[in-house]
Amino acid sequence: MKLAYWMYAGPAHIGTLRVASSFRNVHAIMHAPLGDDYFNVMRSMLERERDFTPVTASVVDRHVLSRGSRDKVVSNISRKGEEQRPDLIVLTPTCTSSILQEDLQNFVDRASLSSQADVILADVNHYRVNELQASDKTLDQIVRYYVEKARKEGLFKRSLTAIPSANIIGILTLGFHNQHDCRELKRLFRELGILINLIIPEGEFLKNIKNLPRAWFNAVPYREIGLMSATFLEKEYGMPYLSLAPIGISNTADFITQVEKLLNLWARVILGKSFQFALYIENQTKFVSQAAWFSKSIDCQNLAGKEAVVFGDATHAASITKILAGEMGIHVSCSGTYCKHDVERFNEQVQGLCDEVLITENHTKVGDTIARIEPSAIFGTQMERHIGKRIDIPCGVISSPVHIQNFPPGYRPFLGYEGTNQISDLIYNSFNLGMEDHLLDVFGGHDTKGISTKSLSKNEEGIILWVPEAESESRRIPGFVRGKIKRNTEIFAKQNNILEITVDVMYAAKERLNR
Amino acid sequence: MKTAGMSFECETGNYHTFCPISCVAWLYQKIEDSFFLVVGTKTCGYFLQNALGVTIFAEPRYAMAELEEGDISAQLNDQKELEKICLQIKNNRSPSVIVWIGTCTTEIVKMDLEGIAPKVEKQIGIPIVVARANGLDYAFTQGEDTVLAAMVHRCPEYDSLIEEEKSQQSEIHTNSKNKSTSHQLVLFGSLPSNVASELNLELKRQSISVSGWLPSQKYNELPKLGYKVYVCGVNPFLSRTATTLMRRRKCQLIGAPFPIGPDGHMLGLRKFVRFLIKTNGLKERENQLWKNVEDYTRIINGKSIFFMGDNLLEISLARFLIRCGMIVYEIGIPYMDRRYQAAELLLLQSTCKEMNSPLPRIVEKPDNYGQVQRIQELKPHLAITGMAHANPLEARDIDTKWSVEFTFAQIHGFSNVRAILELVTRPLRRSKGNLNLVFPSLSKQTKI
């Protein structure tokens, strides 16, 4: 058991449901108690979804507990099959059904005899995997199922498309800016002369999955979701894949260069020519994206050397770290992720770009780290945004967990060249607002705040008293350094066994530090 | 009580509602010195952090004891684990009471929370109340019911002999002539403190003094209970609490309509007439209130409404809205305790008669899929529904009101009548402009 207030990644079944409800005409049935269908609320509210979320529950109640589900699940599956005629029904286990240990596979087998729809059991263990891993796994499962099915029926298409084409794998509902990213990625490919073969799972029909191997390569923009399917397709059908997120100028350039390489594997044979994207990259970087110019401009000069903390999922945190440190000259004091299952790769990517790496699922640890570092800006999730609010540090949200604000009706991709513009805005606005705030402080603006400790967890050791004069003196220090000076003074006091901080002690501490 | 002529249907129970553990959201705020510990899995935690939105960032006095694989397979000792966590809570927050919320998982693995609690209580020196608010047995607001039922056992004993002696002494002392205050009345149901004090005041005007509330603002101020104590519920979902009060603490239950809407509130007050001297101009007061909200009732008069059902407030709200002139097509409700809600049902019946409105069908454990079909057919002016269906229905040109708001808004007593109507009329008042005429439906699907 562990005491927990907040979690970064949701439970496994959320991942399965996100994949299932992203495909077109797929229905998910959860084997769950009443109230576990909160997914529907999230989808309807956060995504502002206009249509009914194709997820229902086969309710586990007291009767099921005492006698087992018996025919309940099977009849629920066939009922849904008749009512809504989905192509596929995904039976989704939850934490509850994991421990009930009912033979769900048996229900699936029985139901598929009578049901018009295909029926599968999502193969995810609630206690072993989280939302992201589960979505990866479920996507893989569905892809395998339909590729296999097509092969058995002899409908399988393996010939490559005449024009170079790509699959985009891993765009799903409730993903962080996924819809916008998908559009930007499509645009990027179109400009490179690459056809989009399939985008899965978002909006795709299952019957088209058999066409997956017709693409020249697969693109997996987010490492968290789609990697399993991509490796499966590579192993079985020799399809190369790209698991690099084109977030930021240099990542996007890398991405396109790798696309060029992958295309040229076949292009010479099929088209009798090869692709050169160097000019395209240069053109886009110089003129379409404002980010490169922005990082040279005076505005960005002001940001140089400022401290930032980055935290989020592995893809976004690593990319943003790279942008901050590599492209804008910002000092990344700490970069971290909650994707514990992808640590090696994360470490590799942020190596040399930040002072420390933080791998944790515990938000208080992240909060304490931020409080200790006191960066000028945070780039994190909704949680970090609130930590920032509490300790007065601006925060740009760069990764899920999502909130309704992360589903803007306006066009806000993180990927590609338009993405670089959006990210520049985000970064610049975060810092700039902070600066304005401090200017107000320096010129004695509306400052009514007393000195307060910024640490999130309680200071266990002896409490040091500030005499009123010292306290009022400390208020004259500009806000953006006040916390730090206060902390240093207290450390100095502690070292010298001083229990009461007077104005003298303050200046003594300052002197010591300046030395 | 007779509820003849009223038809109750029961469907599949395939409906959307909040998990009952959501009650921690308002109970931790109500009981100021409490800490709620939900013993469950990531699923419960995910629900709480998303459903309760921003409160999670405000250092709430609730948390998860998240069960891991070792807990499920009994490799870890439940008692030791819980003790460790409660000690942590004690050190960080020092609450006066820790409430353990049992969940589906603790039910299934048969974790003996009730058995462990006294031991841990002794160990850490903080009272521990156990409530099993799980989705296997209960829906949404019933969570509060389980918590309050568990708290009933912690209320101090009211000994009528001793208390009467005391009051006699004080009467002699103050030489008071007022003898009607010897009745003990305890109201149960968690209401925001200002609403509670308003109800207190309202009753005081009728010279009834409320001797206590369950729950109280502080855990240490729980009301005294016992034989000769009258109890009355303020919410329709408190049937377990009512039963526990009657059976275990021998209290006398006053069955009354719930103080939602002026009609319900008035009748509730009248019920107390049994042990009160006179009614002081209640009828005039009610009429005045109806007059005050005429601008709102005019909007909804003659309009139809459909309750999909998810929080058990449905009967009272429907009754009130019928009195406002609305036509109710269907009252979906998760669970219907016909005994506890008897007075409310009777009032519903008589209201329908009085307003010359047909009796609505009451659907227990509704099936949301079927309900959506019926909504499509009936095309009500307004559907009261959960958030899972609200946006899709709006896209199909059905006006909706999110039902959860009725749970969190202040809707009790005379002064909040306007608040209920404010909620109900908002979607109807909202002008959708010309767009709505050109594009009545914005759904992407051709069928539902």
Side-chain angles (χ1 to χ4, degrees), chain B residues 253-372:
Chain B
L253 181 74
I254 301 171
F258 303 101
I260 295 170
D263 49 343
H265 191 26
M266 218 277 298
L267 231 108
L269 289 176
R270 277 229 182 128
K271 273 273 174 177
F272 296 141
V273 168
R274 287 210 306 213
F275 57 105
L276 117 196
I277 311 160
K278 56 178 180 189
T279 48
N280 287 334
L282 273 180
K283 193 70 200 168
E284 293 81 65
R285 194 154 155 67
E286 193 196 343
N287 289 340
Q288 185 57 45
L289 273 160
W290 284 119
K291 214 170 211 164
N292 288 350
V293 294
E294 238 169 32
D295 50 339
Y296 277 149
T297 48
R298 212 173 296 135
I299 298 173
I300 50 172
N301 192 10
K303 297 241 163 69
S304 56
I305 188 165
F306 190 108
F307 286 89
M308 283 184 84
D310 69 351
N311 58 15
L312 285 97
L313 294 170
E314 291 87 2
I315 300 283
S316 314
L317 286 173
R319 175 261 299 155
F320 166 61
L321 292 174
I322 291 172
R323 186 66 182 69
C324 291
M326 289 193 96
I327 297 147
V328 178
Y329 286 146
E330 177 169 325
I331 307 177
I333 185 165
Y335 167 73
M336 179 77 243
D337 186 332
R338 284 182 226 178
R339 275 190 303 176
Y340 177 63
Q341 294 221 39
E344 187 62 78
L345 285 168
L346 274 177
L347 181 57
L348 172 70
Q349 215 169 7
S350 63
T351 305
C352 285
K353 211 176 208 175
E354 196 182 322
M355 298 304 292
N356 213 0
S357 165
L359 264 179
R361 55 190 280 187
I362 297 173
V363 181
E364 230 183 313
K365 287 174 169 266
D367 184 281
N368 277 168
Y369 183 80
Q371 284 185 314
V372 168

Side-chain angles (χ1 to χ4, degrees), chain B residues 123-392:
Chain B
Q123 218 37 255
I124 64 165
I126 293 178
I128 291 171
V129 174
V130 180
R132 303 178 179 195
N134 60 67
L136 292 168
D137 301 303
Y138 306 109
F140 196 13
T141 47
Q142 286 179 295
E144 176 182 324
D145 194 19
T146 61
V147 174
L148 296 189
M151 286 220 169
V152 167
H153 300 285
R154 302 302 181 111
C155 294
E157 186 64 32
Y158 174 79
D159 193 325
S160 55
L161 286 174
I162 298 172
E163 299 290 332
E164 265 165 31
E165 220 165 79
K166 250 195 226 163
S167 68
Q168 267 168 13
Q169 274 174 355
S170 67
E171 246 169 64
I172 295 162
H173 204 70
T174 55
N175 210 5
S176 154
K177 282 169 193 166
N178 189 356
K179 279 172 192 165
S180 64
T181 49
S182 60
H183 289 289
Q184 290 289 313
L185 175 65
V186 170
L187 299 181
F188 57 95
S190 157
L191 294 182
S193 54
N194 58 322
V195 181
S197 53
E198 195 209 325
L199 284 184
N200 284 345
L201 211 72
E202 199 71 56
L203 285 163
K204 202 159 202 175
R205 268 193 212 130
Q206 309 303 326
S207 41
I208 304 169
S209 68
V210 176
S211 54
W213 279 81
L214 177 72
S216 45
Q217 204 76 15
K218 292 257 164 63
Y219 176 74
N220 298 332
E221 295 163 5
L222 284 175
K224 287 181 181 172
L225 297 175
Y227 182 65
K228 276 204 175 173
V229 172
Y230 287 91
V231 291
C232 186
V234 296
N235 267 324
F237 44 76
L238 298 172
S239 55
R240 266 176 75 92
T241 311
T243 317
T244 316
L245 283 165
M246 286 192 294
R247 294 206 182 137
R248 306 299 295 272
R249 306 302 300 263
K250 309 286 174 230
C251 301
Q252 322 277 319
L253 181 74
I254 301 171
F258 303 101
I260 295 170
D263 49 343
H265 191 26
M266 218 277 298
L267 231 108
L269 289 176
R270 277 229 182 128
K271 273 273 174 177
F272 296 141
V273 168
R274 287 210 306 213
F275 57 105
L276 117 196
I277 311 160
K278 56 178 180 189
T279 48
N280 287 334
L282 273 180
K283 193 70 200 168
E284 293 81 65
R285 194 154 155 67
E286 193 196 343
N287 289 340
Q288 185 57 45
L289 273 160
W290 284 119
K291 214 170 211 164
N292 288 350
V293 294
E294 238 169 32
D295 50 339
Y296 277 149
T297 48
R298 212 173 296 135
I299 298 173
I300 50 172
N301 192 10
K303 297 241 163 69
S304 56
I305 188 165
F306 190 108
F307 286 89
M308 283 184 84
D310 69 351
N311 58 15
L312 285 97
L313 294 170
E314 291 87 2
I315 300 283
S316 314
L317 286 173
R319 175 261 299 155
F320 166 61
L321 292 174
I322 291 172
R323 186 66 182 69
C324 291
M326 289 193 96
I327 297 147
V328 178
Y329 286 146
E330 177 169 325
I331 307 177
I333 185 165
Y335 167 73
M336 179 77 243
D337 186 332
R338 284 182 226 178
R339 275 190 303 176
Y340 177 63
Q341 294 221 39
E344 187 62 78
L345 285 168
L346 274 177
L347 181 57
L348 172 70
Q349 215 169 7
S350 63
T351 305
C352 285
K353 211 176 208 175
E354 196 182 322
M355 298 304 292
N356 213 0
S357 165
L359 264 179
R361 55 190 280 187
I362 297 173
V363 181
E364 230 183 313
K365 287 174 169 266
D367 184 281
N368 277 168
Y369 183 80
Q371 284 185 314
V372 168
Q373 309 295 322
R374 295 201 282 277
I375 288 177
Q376 293 276 84
E377 263 169 48
L378 296 164
K379 295 229 176 309
H381 289 100
L382 188 65
I384 308 285
T385 173
M387 207 58 203
H389 294 98
N391 267 339

Side-chain angles (χ1 to χ4, degrees), chain A residues 175-212:
Chain A
F176 185 78
H177 292 244
N178 270 16
Q179 306 299 333
H180 310 290
D181 283 352
C182 181
R183 215 168 109 193
E184 185 62 23
L185 210 51
K186 277 196 317 206
R187 191 169 84 172
L188 180 66
F189 279 140
R190 195 175 58 229
E191 284 173 1
L192 297 176
I194 300 167
L195 211 70
I196 302 292
N197 185 45
L198 286 184
I199 297 170
I200 57 169
E202 187 59 43
E204 194 52 80
F205 282 108
L206 295 168
K207 61 172 194 280
N208 295 332
I209 285 186
K210 63 174 185 288
N211 296 328
L212 269 178

Side-chain angles (χ1 to χ4, degrees), chain A residues 1-2 4 7 33-34 37-38 41 44-45 50-51 57 60 62 79 83 95-96 99 126 128 383 386, chain B residues 14 16 41 43 49 51 57 64 66 69 71-72 81 107-108 137 367 387 391-392 396 442-444:
Chain A
M1 254 181 245
K2 68 173 187 218
M7 64 186 88
L34 199 64
D37 58 351
Y38 191 74
V41 177
S44 168
M45 251 177 108
R50 316 157 182 227
D51 289 314
V60 175
R62 207 33 88 170
R79 194 189 131 192
E83 277 170 0
C95 60
T96 309
I99 28 179
H126 179 92
R128 304 251 164 102
M383 192 66 204
H386 284 269
Chain B
N14 242 321
H16 164 78
T41 59
T43 308
Q49 88 178 37
F57 299 112
M64 295 289 308
E66 198 182 306
E69 205 163 12
D71 299 301
I72 305 300
E81 295 291 308
E107 287 297 306
I108 296 168
D137 301 303
D367 184 281
M387 207 58 203
N391 267 339
R396 285 161 184 74
L442 289 169
S443 153
K444 289 191 217 163

Side-chain angles (χ1 to χ4, degrees), chain A residues 334-400:
Chain A
C334 174
S335 174
T337 180
Y338 56 84
C339 295
K340 278 190 163 170
H341 56 279
D342 203 19
V343 174
E344 256 170 59
R345 164 85 182 205
F346 183 78
N347 279 332
E348 189 187 303
Q349 280 188 305
V350 300
Q351 204 177 31
L353 297 175
C354 57
D355 300 346
E356 56 179 302
V357 176
L358 179 68
I359 311 289
T360 182
E361 287 172 323
N362 183 346
H363 79 275
T364 44
K365 247 187 201 163
V366 181
D368 286 344
T369 308
I370 293 172
R372 171 169 53 81
I373 293 173
E374 279 190 49
S376 308
I378 312 165
F379 298 94
T381 69
Q382 286 293 334
M383 192 66 204
E384 281 68 48
R385 191 169 72 87
H386 284 269
I387 292 171
K389 252 189 191 169
R390 268 173 55 189
I391 56 180
D392 247 346
I393 297 174
C395 176
V397 177
I398 53 135
S399 154
S400 46

